Amino acid sequence: MKILTVVLTLWVTGALAGREENHGEVSEAEVDFQEEQLVQEVLAEEGEEADDIQLVLGNDDDVEEGGDECSRISPKEVFHTELHPRLLKNMDEMSHYVEAVVERVEAAVEVLLPHVSHSPIGELNSQELFAELSDFMQGTIREAYELVRTAWRDLIRAHARGNLDREETLRALALIRDAQHQGDRYLNAALQELSVTIKAIVMNSIYVVHRSLNLPNGTEEHDVAKAIHKNLPKVAPNFLGSLMTKVLERGSDPSAYKKILTDPLRDLNDAVDKMYSTLETFIENGNDEDMAAYWREIVSLSHQRMRDEPLLEENFDLIYLNETYLTELTLSLMATW
């Protein structure tokens, strides 16, 4: 099951909150259903009375714009309209990339195995290795998502029960910021694991093909590379062969490759850093207005980002069918770690 399906199942509550902004009107029935779902979830976890919770939440899922007291002027609006969709897209893209790379390398190793009787790669239980790698990667993606989602949900629920004061909101934002940076560390560690594994397979595969050619001792490095390159279509006519070819052409020096950005949640981090610094300034200036003024500014900034950097729909299955693009991206991953 793809990570997008998993995370949508985990976090269906509130997902309609930003749909009017991006996809059109939300029906009254959908809004009512979302309100009921949120109420029942809060009841189960907090043990409060249904009537009391209904009074606390009010029209928390209402998507109509209003005056200063509109419920959309809140952290829920910022998260569900902008940051949660961006988070989902980042997780979904990474999940598709991992699946595309692991499936192709696993298939390629199966083709290469008959040629690797004298190499450690021949001793691999490839099905077990790649299954474990995929499970680890997808599990880490899910864990990072859960970490960020939970931190945001805590702020949203606390705000729904009654506006937090400035200091309490600042502490909640600090927790969200910490959770997102921790999520980045999880994802970077997983990408590093993937990079190291793929790099080991590629370099060992080059060595295996070299050994299989039985070239004379003292053969020049350039001639070795040419001989390996010529033989690759026979033993690795696939994604692994493309990676090996590029490494032979450019060498293994990381400076020959473009590196990837190592903060998958950087969009969310930038947004929360801005939210935090804005509230710090708000407090330092001794602003006596209530928190509604702060959230009006934050919601406005969020909507402006959505206009400046709209969240476009992309077909990652189709994107990663492009093996040239996938090869370059994987080489960048290998050069980064």
Side-chain angles (χ1 to χ4, degrees):
M1 179 181 294
K2 293 188 173 55
I3 193 70
L4 180 60
T5 304
V6 175
V7 294
L8 285 176
T9 301
L10 290 170
W11 187 237
V12 67
T13 302
L16 296 177
R19 191 181 296 177
E20 183 183 16
E21 187 75 25
N22 297 315
H23 302 293
E25 295 184 356
V26 178
S27 70
E28 183 177 351
E30 288 176 307
V31 173
D32 290 343
F33 175 76
Q34 284 299 111
E35 287 184 343
E36 179 61 22
Q37 289 292 101
L38 180 57
V39 169
Q40 292 302 321
E41 185 178 349
V42 173
L43 279 173
E45 295 191 5
E46 306 295 341
E48 298 181 24
E49 294 296 325
D51 291 342
D52 293 338
I53 292 297
Q54 188 64 39
L55 289 173
V56 167
L57 295 178
N59 67 338
D60 190 45
D61 277 336
D62 193 352
V63 295
E64 294 182 3
E65 289 284 5
D68 290 348
E69 301 304 321
C70 176
S71 64
R72 293 189 70 179
I73 308 302
S74 68
K76 182 173 184 178
E77 171 70 6
V78 177
F79 184 61
H80 287 300
T81 300
E82 181 199 3
L83 299 186
H84 189 235
R86 292 192 191 281
L87 175 63
L88 280 176
K89 185 175 181 180
N90 289 345
M91 300 296 96
D92 191 36
E93 181 173 10
M94 188 178 296
S95 176
H96 275 80
Y97 170 71
V98 169
E99 185 176 317
V101 170
V102 171
E103 284 184 355
R104 282 172 172 80
V105 174
E106 181 177 8
V109 168
E110 291 298 326
V111 173
L112 191 61
L113 281 176
H115 302 271
V116 296
S117 57
H118 301 294
S119 166
I121 197 173
E123 300 174 4
L124 285 177
N125 182 333
S126 60
Q127 290 185 342
E128 182 177 326
L129 169 68
F130 291 110
E132 289 179 355
L133 179 61
S134 180
D135 288 346
F136 168 72
M137 294 295 300
Q138 301 292 6
T140 303
I141 293 170
R142 190 178 302 112
E143 187 175 2
Y145 171 84
E146 291 269 13
L147 188 68
V148 175
R149 179 196 50 130
T150 299
W152 269 100
R153 186 170 62 176
D154 289 344
L155 172 58
I156 291 168
R157 287 180 169 179
H159 186 274
R161 286 172 173 77
N163 287 332
L164 303 176
D165 65 28
R166 293 170 296 183
E167 287 74 14
E168 290 170 332
T169 303
L170 192 67
R171 286 194 292 272
L173 288 173
L175 292 174
I176 290 174
R177 186 172 60 179
D178 291 345
Q180 291 181 176
H181 285 293
Q182 181 65 43
D184 260 338
R185 288 192 289 271
Y186 286 169
L187 296 173
N188 284 336
L191 289 172
Q192 183 175 10
E193 182 77 14
L194 179 64
S195 172
V196 170
T197 303
I198 300 302
K199 191 185 303 184
I201 291 173
V202 169
M203 301 310 294
N204 194 265
S205 297
I206 291 174
Y207 171 77
V208 165
V209 176
H210 180 193
R211 286 285 301 275
S212 70
L213 296 176
N214 296 316
L215 298 174
N217 291 334
T219 303
E220 294 291 334
E221 185 175 340
H222 175 71
D223 293 331
V224 171
K226 283 182 61 177
I228 296 173
H229 190 282
K230 182 179 179 180
N231 205 47
L232 282 179
K234 302 176 185 177
V235 297
N238 44 42
F239 177 65
L240 178 57
S242 298
L243 290 174
M244 294 162 66
T245 297
K246 293 296 183 182
V247 170
L248 288 168
E249 291 173 350
R250 302 182 197 175
S252 57
D253 184 355
S255 64
Y257 307 90
K258 181 180 178 180
K259 295 186 179 182
I260 67 169
L261 297 174
T262 57
D263 300 313
L265 303 182
R266 55 191 172 276
D267 291 343
L268 277 72
N269 294 335
D270 289 345
V272 173
D273 286 344
K274 178 65 175 176
M275 292 171 66
Y276 188 90
S277 63
T278 299
L279 184 54
E280 274 191 319
T281 302
F282 188 89
I283 294 172
E284 289 170 0
N285 291 341
N287 196 322
D288 293 330
E289 296 183 53
D290 60 28
M291 287 299 294
Y294 168 75
W295 286 115
R296 279 196 298 273
E297 180 174 353
I298 296 303
V299 169
S300 176
L301 290 171
S302 176
H303 289 175
Q304 185 61 50
R305 284 194 298 270
M306 290 294 283
R307 289 189 290 271
D308 294 342
E309 302 176 38
L311 198 65
L312 303 177
E313 184 175 348
E314 297 180 271
N315 186 334
F316 295 119
D317 282 324
L318 185 60
I319 288 171
Y320 291 127
L321 283 177
N322 184 333
E323 196 159 290
T324 299
Y325 173 69
L326 189 64
T327 298
E328 289 297 330
L329 186 57
T330 304
L331 289 169
S332 295
L333 178 75
M334 292 163 57
T336 305
W337 285 287

